[in-house]
Amino acid sequence: MNAETLRERTREFLDRNDPATTDRLEFLRARFDAGLAWVHFPEGLGGLGAERELQNVVDQELAAAGAPDNDPRRIGIGLGMAAPTILAFGTDEQKHRFLRPLWTGEEVWCQLFSEPGAGSDLAAVGTRAVRDGDDWLVTGQKVWTSSAHSARWAILLTRTDPDVPKHAGMSYFVLDMTAPGVEVRPLRQITGEAEFNEVFMTDTRIPDTDRLGEVGDGWRVAQTTLMNERVAIGGRPVPREGGMIGPVARAWRDRPEVRTPELHDRLVDLWVQSEALRLAGVRLRQQLAVGHPGPEGSAMKLAFARLNQELTGLELEMLGEDGLRYDDWTMRRPDLVDFLGREAGYRYLRAKGNSIEGGTSEVLRNIIAERVLGLPAEARVDTKVPWKDLPR
Amino acid sequence: MNAETLRERTREFLDRNDPATTDRLEFLRARFDAGLAWVHFPEGLGGLGAERELQNVVDQELAAAGAPDNDPRRIGIGLGMAAPTILAFGTDEQKHRFLRPLWTGEEVWCQLFSEPGAGSDLAAVGTRAVRDGDDWLVTGQKVWTSSAHSARWAILLTRTDPDVPKHAGMSYFVLDMTAPGVEVRPLRQITGEAEFNEVFMTDTRIPDTDRLGEVGDGWRVAQTTLMNERVAIGGRPVPREGGMIGPVARAWRDRPEVRTPELHDRLVDLWVQSEALRLAGVRLRQQLAVGHPGPEGSAMKLAFARLNQELTGLELEMLGEDGLRYDDWTMRRPDLVDFLGREAGYRYLRAKGNSIEGGTSEVLRNIIAERVLGLPAEARVDTKVPWKDLPR
Amino acid sequence: MNLLYSDVEDQLRASVADLLADRAQPASILARCETDKPHDLDLWRTLTAELGAGSLHVPESLGGQGASAREVAVVLEELGRTVAPVPFLGSAVLATTALLGCEPADGELLGALGSGRTVGALAVSLATAPGSAFPSTVEYTDGVLRGRVRSVADAAAADVLVVPAVGVDGPTLHTVRVDQAQVTVTPAVSLDLTRPIADVTFDGAASTRLTGDPESALDGALWTAAALLASEQVGVADWCLTTTVAYLKDRHQFGRPVGSFQALKHRLADLFGELALARAAARNAADAVGGPEERVAALLANSLCSTVAVHAAEECVQLHGGIGMTWEHPAHLYLKRAKADQIALGTPGQHRRLLAPLVDLPAPR
Amino acid sequence: MNLLYSDVEDQLRASVADLLADRAQPASILARCETDKPHDLDLWRTLTAELGAGSLHVPESLGGQGASAREVAVVLEELGRTVAPVPFLGSAVLATTALLGCEPADGELLGALGSGRTVGALAVSLATAPGSAFPSTVEYTDGVLRGRVRSVADAAAADVLVVPAVGVDGPTLHTVRVDQAQVTVTPAVSLDLTRPIADVTFDGAASTRLTGDPESALDGALWTAAALLASEQVGVADWCLTTTVAYLKDRHQFGRPVGSFQALKHRLADLFGELALARAAARNAADAVGGPEERVAALLANSLCSTVAVHAAEECVQLHGGIGMTWEHPAHLYLKRAKADQIALGTPGQHRRLLAPLVDLPAPR
């Protein structure tokens, strides 16, 4: 499949399915069935078994024709994490059941991995799944779950064997979020909002047919999920001042009265670093495009978090009296999160999460040191002991 | 012994020994014999068994009378490290042999602890001492030894039993620096100077009577030495701008043409931190004076090193073109070292050593974290294995 | 110069700490700060009535405790450690010090503030740096006050405001009762949940004009407050360090206490060092209030301590991981206090600019 | 905008690296820099004659390689990685770019510089930031040059100097042969042992006056050099990181490789991240030379990369412990280069001040 053939095929699809007259959902379903959803997926599962890069060709043609998209930001967890995992580990039946409504957005997915006692140390998860005939009974608590309150399905990491070392005793399931015993509670953050949820499961029944991968192989399945999460980071190109530097630079331009020499030098320094980070992202994508992905992704996330925090901290100092004020402490449950949204105080507080969510900066530094620089790992004390005997 | 009695006694001593007419060395010997050298030492060993704080009384009286001192900077290692160790672990014979000429400065001491393979990990020393009749034969290499080329005696940490864990197999000696097999080589530093030396010992013979402490107890003896080294740090009061901030602030005042807003804010920030460090030193001495020494000493050394490095780095930037120049790369062997001495380039390079010498900043952070904050130590892999089997 | 805590100061600290341990727990503070009465005035009355915290540096001749700024600093340190929402800064520091700067001082009002029966506030923006020009947003004409002051600390709890206003003959200082129709106090949405700010509007408000030098009285209040706020910042930083250390000893990941990971240990050791410097600077500033070195000491301490407090609070949130990002955990109360304190009475950058000429480090050009 | 290294650039890098691995080992560099001939002119002649490194961005029509500034940057990166004492910056970058900015360019001299037969230098202080006023310490009157220029990079090795001088009719640019009695080149004691600087005095020196716009020729040389120096700084930082990582894998203390201690690992990870940003910025600057974004890209890259290089070199010394403080270990050569490079062609602070108006971040007032 080359670009020309694919472009031709997309145009033919558009001829058959006029976006102007077709119902949005019908259009998306038809697109999936035509293999134009994610062309690198297999035929019959929304794809054509083509190169991943060729997706651009389809997207351009469809966008030019004014076709609706599947609102990827809203269903990012399904697209970015659940789908590749189902593709890699799902049975044929699972793939056919889940992927189409996942892609069209008819069914929203969430991810149930982190727990209060298993954050950076994800392999310590303690949510217990106990075999009960053809089902599993699941009890435990998950945390930091976005979209849990709108999700139909979840990908779920559980402990099925506490008597073996922690990496060996996990299993991975698809959980029906409407099943009895699933309770979703909003988790309020320091911003006042609740972007995330806690999810409690109490004797929740999951049929064994909803297991992904072998019993005890959950860690390996989860690695696939997480690897795909990382790929998603730093994805799209950003224009100059497209990140957190944007609102801060605008505030500087708009308010001559707040300018001081000290703030000026700090701001220009952060501008320099922000632009260098953006260029590093451009460089990373250029490396990917020629098939030589560099190891800089983790370092970029580190810099992203640090710069967001320094910039927003500077902004409050710059605003002076206005920096003493907040826009609104009302508890809300936003569907989408925009780090740059709302006012300076919100940005300052929200940015604190950037060095925690999606891998803490501390864990990322370990990864860079060990996997990129090849520095020796520290001795592990937790890999040979049965999970139940670990100190916690 | 109270201050008044002591003052009286000092005056009587001055009556008997007029500094104006007495030979310097004779005066110092007489002072030692009168117990006015270090009043907290026992009688007969230069002291009176008095409180350490009372030494001030003596020093003030003697200074007022124009008495010579023992040039304590030149013999700091003897006074600060060798003497307390000899006092704690020496035999009567050793105390009487060594302490008087040590205190008067007739015999200079140096310290042979660090080795190329035993820096932060001092307990790993590999300089071998092997028993040979009434003597020991010593072979090995020591490094970072100041005053080695002028020293008559050394305190020396050796490995006497490689078959036991490292802390258990060391012994501590007094080494005659004029003994056959001792070779001192200057160790040139990045400043161009050689403040320090490497000392090589090859089958050097030490009589067993020059051992301090029991065989195998060298680590405990060395701890006494090191504890006394730490007490010496941050000892004397410093006036405002008495440290590294001084030359940098003076350069700012003297050279209006180098001033920029960016440098200004950095400089004032460093002035603030320098003055706070000075105040922390004042506070520490006030705590000591009321008998409640705080644990801030290590933290102050950390800050001292960091500020010296930031200040000197700033100074070179400030000097611009002049910062591209150095005063002199000639290899010299200074007797005394002044971190503030010479020009800006020298200060910049020399300050790099401040975070290494006398305990690296990394080791100090461990000490603060574990001993002050009580954070759990990391698992040790080197404390139960015979020294000879340790990886190196 | 005594940079230690005296025995008397330690006793005061213990009394305040005991009371706050009993009455200012994070959960209750958090619950309160979402109500429309974010100040804990019951606690404030106990602090003033039982411990005299409302009039520590007021001379005995004016009915106060006759202590010094050092004791005020010790209380601020404890209040920083608990972020207890009492109007100490507004009433007992800013308003009281301004009143003490008037000649003669209003003993009756000082007595009322000291007893906690009446709460005061100084009607200037909390962001005002000492040494700023006399504020001119309130006018004093025809015997009444008109104008607006934004972001006044503790104004929402105040019965009486001390108000700088510009009259025809220049700067003036007034006391104004809040319970008149011509005064409107509108609570702002405050970043710092435990030190609420409010905007105050005067629309022909009646006042009592204070005698003495209004500029020096206001200036004195701001310099003293800046010097002492450093101690509050030390309290905030100390809580953050202590709490984080305790959490990391307890929290396990990878089968180990998280506090055994060296990278975190080193960061906490650095924080300990920063705090040691901050504490020396804050004690020095408290000791120097009213003396010749007051301004240098205040600027030095406030620029350093606000930086250290923010750093400590940011590390506290980060090293708590996810839990530190939640509303339930008190870390955010300290983060918000630290960040607001960094702006309060001037930012570190402003303080450094004010300090520079005092220590002969002239700005460029 | 291509921020990668092209295949041609990678080949060039490999050739340069091979040669330097053979001819520019730390021990020999260290020995050389204490002699009175600190430049390795044999190595320079090999680099120019065999690899064309002396005329990479000189058009083929002028006898050069017809490559771009990108290739010059790649060579600078390798020279930074080895701190080889060759007059590349002075001759092949500063002097050559200034000559290329003249109209018509002096093909003969460019050819001689490119071949390495003749070494050039640009007679401005190495600390001069791009955009500075045209230097006025040398006067051009009565057909001769008089005056003094301090701290000229590579001047001690130069046969020909490109000299900015002020004549009666304003700025002029000249070439001056060093082998005349009226020119004195006095080596200075240079902080950077591997890029010696010298002071140059003209005492009625004969010159060839260059045609074209002297200001734009000089400006072009300084902007290009500033853009490209960032790549040298990347090379310095890269050596420091790589060498430190290797040392810490090997060095054991407490029975473990020192590189297994988490606090050090995190610092090296941070350095890796800084280097990733620095490399992107340096590549961008090299790519932008001669284009509309040249100045923004140069200032961005140089301010960032000089900071990163100094940080990397300082960490390199610190994490090597005592051995890093010794004269024998090469770390200090990199520290000195990094620090001198931070000042060369302007400090980061100067660069940020120059950058601000270009990206619409106006300075106060």
Side-chain angles (χ1 to χ4, degrees), chain D residues 80-138:
Chain D
R81 208 188 304 277
T82 49
V83 292
V86 292
F88 187 82
L89 183 71
S91 189
V93 181
L94 284 163
T96 295
T97 313
L99 289 171
L100 286 171
C102 296
E103 188 59 54
D106 180 343
E108 198 183 327
L109 179 53
L110 282 168
L113 295 184
S115 73
R117 290 189 312 273
T118 298
V119 173
L122 179 65
V124 297
S125 161
L126 181 57
T128 312
S132 299
F134 197 85
S136 58
T137 60
V138 180

Side-chain angles (χ1 to χ4, degrees), chain A residues 9-10 22 43 87 195 200 219 264 284 320 330 347 377 390:
Chain A
R9 197 161 180 149
T10 308
T22 315
E43 291 195 48
L87 184 67
E195 285 171 43
F200 297 82
W219 183 244
H264 189 233
L284 194 62
T330 310
R347 286 195 285 273
L390 287 174

Side-chain angles (χ1 to χ4, degrees), chain C residues 134-140 145-146 163-167 170-174 214:
Chain C
F134 198 85
S136 58
T137 61
V138 180
E139 255 182 33
Y140 176 55
L145 301 176
R146 290 180 201 281
V163 184
V166 177
T172 59
L173 208 56
H174 305 256

